[in-house]
Amino acid sequence: AIMKSGGTSSCLHSDGMTRAPVVKFPSILPAGAAKAWCEEEGNFQRLKAAFDSTSRFARLTSLHCVLAGNCLHLRFTASTGDAMGMNMVSKGVDKALRLLLEVFPEMTVVSLSGNCCTDKKPSAVNWVLGRGKSVVCEAVLPSSVVKEVLKTTPARLVELNTQKNLVGSAMAGSVGGFNAHAANIV
């Protein structure tokens, strides 16, 4: 149906793989100081230089810091070229953490992934901030193609979208938008 309608258009609007370690401090004061340190542009550039030195392709683009008591979750986001890039991002994060340990020797790394990445599970943070490559695609199907190829009408597709993707997803408490996997749109 899409090919008969002239194909599709797509736009890559965001590209950033994440890894979010969790680190711990003796109290909230050094944890807060580390957060403030990471958020200063000059210090971000130091972390970026350490991170970027580990790969020909991975480039640190942002760092989002969240305090949870005396623990600090650091959500590193990096572009990774054509690769999914989890291994290269993890390697870059490890190097950046070593630099952070030099500045804050009282810090301990609890885990290289503190689950704020969030890897392999739906989450609001990935929906809002994104993770990986985010793409928007568009295809315009004339009514005649919908009827001939898909054996339905545009009105029935709109009803399907409303009942399945909007109402059904809301009732299920779906995270990450109200949509359906193309292979499962039965």
Side-chain angles (χ1 to χ4, degrees), residues 68-154:
N70 64 333
C71 291
L72 181 61
H73 292 259
L74 303 157
R75 193 171 199 260
F76 289 79
T77 303
S79 60
T80 57
D82 291 335
M84 187 267 204
M86 261 331 307
N87 291 336
M88 65 176 90
V89 173
S90 295
K91 187 176 173 185
V93 166
D94 183 63
K95 182 86 179 253
L97 287 176
R98 282 189 257 145
L99 169 62
L100 203 54
L101 276 164
E102 290 174 15
V103 179
F104 296 94
E106 70 276 26
M107 178 184 93
T108 57
V109 177
V110 176
S111 178
L112 189 62
S113 177
N115 247 6
C116 279
C117 322
T118 45
D119 191 16
K120 300 183 185 89
K121 53 198 123 344
S123 69
V125 71
N126 287 347
W127 186 26
V128 173
L129 298 178
R131 182 170 194 269
K133 293 177 182 0
S134 296
V135 180
V136 175
C137 298
E138 173 184 67
V140 179
L141 308 179
S143 179
S144 59
V145 174
V146 172
K147 289 174 186 170
E148 174 192 338
V149 178
L150 300 179
K151 311 293 189 231
T152 191
T153 65

Side-chain angles (χ1 to χ4, degrees), residues 137-179:
C137 298
E138 173 184 67
V140 179
L141 308 179
S143 179
S144 59
V145 174
V146 172
K147 289 174 186 170
E148 174 192 338
V149 178
L150 300 179
K151 311 293 189 231
T152 191
T153 65
R156 289 196 67 207
L157 284 179
V158 169
E159 176 70 9
L160 172 67
N161 180 60
T162 300
Q163 293 304 320
K164 180 176 182 147
N165 298 335
L166 303 181
V167 176
S169 294
M171 290 175 65
S174 292
V175 175
F178 297 159
N179 56 48

